Amino acid sequence: MSKQKLDAKIRTVKGKTAAKNLRKVGRIPAVVYNTKGEATMIDVDEV
């Protein structure tokens, strides 16, 4: 299995409007969960 590197930024603003604004500037909102089930909001580059 090959590994891929993902360049992500932690985001602090949440909600539908914030996600739409991120998409307008070429970022994709996402959520990453750790092994304990705790969520971290991130955004990644569209490309």
Side-chain angles (χ1 to χ4, degrees), residues 13-27:
V13 183
K14 61 181 177 178
K16 189 184 292 187
T17 305
K20 284 183 179 182
N21 290 336
L22 280 172
R23 289 185 190 102
K24 283 182 185 178
V25 297
R27 305 290 295 176

Side-chain angles (χ1 to χ4, degrees), residues 3-37:
K3 293 187 178 183
Q4 299 289 326
K5 185 177 180 183
L6 189 64
D7 189 24
K9 295 180 183 176
I10 294 178
R11 60 186 172 107
T12 56
V13 183
K14 61 181 177 178
K16 189 184 292 187
T17 305
K20 284 183 179 182
N21 290 336
L22 280 172
R23 289 185 190 102
K24 283 182 185 178
V25 297
R27 305 290 295 176
I28 300 173
V31 177
V32 177
Y33 296 92
N34 66 10
T35 56
K36 295 178 183 178

